[in-house]
Amino acid sequence: MKNCKEIPSTYNQRLAQICDFMREYSKEIAQDDATDNISESYPRIKEVLNELKDSASPNSDMLWNPTSEELLFAGKLAWRNSNRCIGRLHWKSLHLKDNRHVKDPSLVFDALLEHLRFATNGGKIRSVLTVFNNDVSIHNPQIIRYAGFTNSDGSITGDPLMVPFTKKLLHMGWIPKSRHEYVILPLLIETRDSGPVIFDLPDNPEYVLEVPILHPEYDFSGLGMKWHALPVISNMDLCFGGLRFSCAPFNGFYMGTEIGARNLGDIARYNKLPEVADAMNLSRSRNDSLWKDKALIELNVAVLHSFKTAGVKIVDHHTASDQFMLFNQLEKSQAREVTADWSWIVPPVSGSACPVFHHEMEDRTHFPNFLYRNQPYL
Ligand code: ARG
C-alpha cells in the first residue's frame, strides 16, 4: 500500500495538474448550469494554491483538499477518461459517497455496506464511487468476489483468479462456512492505526445480490451457475489534480459478456463451456463443429436472460457498443477527444458484429483517471 501514497514528483507538475483540473471544472460546470461558476472557481484556484503552499512538504499525502463537488466531478471525469470502459456514455450518472472522515476499520466496513446497498438498489443498479482517506486500505481487488480454494489433489473449487487472495485470507485465520464454487470472500480492511481486519459480508441480497444463471430453453440447472449483480472495483486509485486517492472503490453495472464469456467461460476461470455443451447435447469431439462457440453464445443468452428475469440491470454487448459510439459522437460535439483501448473495448464475443470493432482508437491517458494500485502517476 505504501507506494500508492506517492506524490507527484515535482511541485510544478502538481501545480499544472491542479490548474488543469480547476480549469476543466469551471469550464464544464459553468457550461452545465450557466451560473456564475467561473468567477466562483477562479477564487477557488487561489485558495487551493495557498493551501498547497502551506501544506507542501515532501511527505504530505493530501496536498489540497477538494470539496465534495470537486471530488464527484473528478470521479465522473475519471470514468469518462477510462480507456478500457465501454460504458462511458453514462459517466454523468455517477454518485459519490464522500467518506474521507472515516478512520476506524468497522466504520469503513459500514460505509462499504452502505455503498453496496445504495448501488444494488434491489437490482436497479446505480453507479457509485466511495472515497476514503489514504490511511484506509482495502486489500480485496473487488468488493464482491468468489473464493478459489485449492483442494488436496491440486484441483480448484471456485474462482481460480482468487486463489492467491483466498490463500492469504485462510492464512490470516479466515474460516469459511463451507467450500463450494460460489463462496463470497470476506473484506480485508486496514487503517493506519489497525492491522488488517477480516469482515464477512452479510448473506443478504440487499447488500450482496446474486443471480442464478439459467437458460430460457436448455436445462442449465444442473450446472448450478450463478453470479453477483455488482462489479465493485477496489484496486484502482482516483488520480487528479496532483492527488492520488488510494482507497476509492467504484461500481458500474455488468455487460453480459464479462460474466458469460470471461468469468464463467474462460479456461483459467470457471471453464464452464464443456459442461454447457454437454447440457446442450453437443458433441465435443471436433473443433470444427464450433461447439465452443455455440456453447459460448448460449451461456451469454443465459446470463442476459437470467439478469433480466431477476430484475437486475445488465447490458448486452451490442447495445453497449452502440452506446459507446454515441458517447464518441457526444464527446466530439463538445470538442473533446475520446481515447480508448481497442483490445478492451471490443467485446470478447462477436467482436466484428459490433461497431466498435471497426472504429479506430488511440490509447493515451488523460486525467482525472483511475490507475491500478501500483501503476505510476506523473
Ligand atoms: N470484469 C469485471 C468482472 O467481471 C468487472 C469490471 C468492471 N465492469 C463493469 N461493468 N463496470 O467482475
Side-chain angles (χ1 to χ4, degrees):
M1 239 14 238
K2 284 282 171 284
N3 37 6
C4 295
K5 295 184 177 176
E6 260 170 35
I7 52 173
S9 38
T10 71
Y11 183 84
N12 282 344
Q13 277 175 321
R14 226 175 290 157
L15 211 59
Q17 272 225 340
I18 293 172
C19 291
D20 283 350
F21 175 73
M22 284 293 163
R23 218 171 286 123
E24 200 66 36
Y25 183 84
S26 63
K27 193 165 89 192
E28 295 194 30
I29 298 292
Q31 198 183 53
D32 270 3
D33 55 32
T35 61
D36 275 337
N37 266 312
I38 292 210
S39 58
E40 271 170 28
S41 58
Y42 277 105
R44 178 74 184 123
I45 289 193
K46 266 189 229 147
E47 214 174 278
V48 167
L49 293 184
N50 278 336
E51 206 178 317
L52 191 66
K53 234 188 315 183
D54 293 344
S55 78
S57 81
N59 298 319
S60 62
D61 297 327
M62 309 296 284
L63 298 160
W64 61 283
N65 209 12
T67 63
S68 291
E69 290 72 26
E70 287 161 351
L71 204 53
L72 173 59
F73 179 71
K76 287 179 179 176
L77 263 55
W79 183 1
R80 192 173 83 193
N81 288 328
S82 287
N83 287 0
R84 294 175 163 185
C85 176
I86 194 172
R88 286 182 268 167
L89 178 66
H90 308 291
W91 65 272
K92 284 185 187 170
S93 68
L94 188 71
H95 296 263
L96 171 72
K97 303 254 171 214
D98 188 350
N99 274 289
R100 285 177 289 174
H101 55 282
V102 173
K103 292 203 159 62
D104 183 75
S106 67
L107 298 178
V108 172
F109 180 64
D110 289 348
L112 289 172
L113 288 184
E114 176 51 20
H115 180 137
L116 293 180
R117 193 199 58 76
F118 182 85
T120 302
N121 193 26
K124 295 186 186 65
I125 292 172
R126 293 184 277 218
S127 300
V128 183
L129 165 71
T130 294
V131 179
F132 294 98
N133 66 65
N134 284 2
D135 288 338
V136 176
S137 14
I138 300 165
H139 292 259
N140 308 55
Q142 288 192 32
I143 300 299
I144 303 177
R145 269 300 196 214
Y146 296 117
F149 300 105
T150 311
N151 305 313
S152 45
D153 64 355
S155 63
I156 290 163
T157 301
D159 193 343
L161 185 67
M162 298 313 293
V163 164
F165 188 65
T166 306
K167 268 196 189 133
K168 176 171 161 172
L169 284 165
L170 292 170
H171 191 71
M172 291 179 66
W174 175 51
I175 302 172
K177 288 193 194 84
S178 54
R179 292 185 179 224
H180 55 78
E181 276 193 290
Y182 301 98
V183 173
I184 299 284
L185 284 165
L187 298 183
L188 186 58
I189 298 170
E190 186 169 355
T191 63
R192 192 164 43 182
D193 304 323
S194 76
V197 189
I198 295 175
F199 293 90
D200 272 314
L201 283 166
D203 185 11
N204 177 345
E206 226 189 306
Y207 302 99
V208 182
L209 183 58
E210 294 179 282
V211 180
I213 307 299
L214 297 169
H215 195 279
E217 288 133 36
Y218 297 106
D219 184 7
F220 284 2
S221 58
L223 279 73
M225 293 183 291
K226 62 172 168 174
W227 205 258
H228 52 87
L230 206 64
V232 193
I233 307 294
S234 47
N235 61 354
M236 297 188 90
D237 302 347
L238 172 62
C239 300
F240 71 98
L243 301 173
R244 180 166 196 142
F245 286 90
S246 57
C247 193
F250 62 89
N251 77 278
F253 54 89
Y254 268 117
M255 176 165 85
T257 57
E258 295 183 85
I259 303 167
R262 309 299 313 281
N263 300 347
L264 294 175
D266 272 10
I267 292 189
R269 299 291 298 287
Y270 278 81
N271 190 24
K272 291 291 182 190
L273 295 187
E275 285 172 66
V276 168
D278 291 350
M280 292 169 66
N281 268 322
L282 299 174
S283 160
R284 294 196 269 123
S285 61
R286 294 165 52 117
N287 274 336
D288 64 5
S289 70
L290 301 189
W291 66 267
K292 284 186 192 171
D293 310 64
K294 289 180 182 168
L296 194 53
I297 294 299
E298 295 309 331
L299 180 51
N300 277 277
V301 167
V303 167
L304 293 170
H305 161 81
S306 304
F307 269 62
K308 206 167 170 195
T309 312
V312 177
K313 187 161 167 175
I314 194 159
V315 66
D316 67 84
H317 47 292
H318 298 287
T319 305
S321 295
D322 291 345
Q323 290 179 348
F324 183 77
M325 297 310 285
L326 177 60
F327 166 69
N328 270 267
Q329 270 178 26
L330 291 177
E331 288 300 290
K332 217 182 204 167
S333 74
Q334 296 296 312
R336 289 193 294 256
E337 176 198 34
V338 173
T339 54
D341 180 344
W342 192 94
S343 66
W344 274 66
I345 297 293
V346 172
V349 291
S350 310
S352 63
C354 299
V356 290
F357 182 95
H358 308 278
H359 185 72
E360 257 186 56
M361 306 174 194
E362 277 200 63
D363 187 12
R364 274 177 288 105
T365 306
H366 290 304
F367 289 96
N369 215 318
F370 292 109
L371 296 183
Y372 282 108
R373 236 168 231 172
N374 295 320
Q375 208 177 332
Y377 170 45
L378 282 178

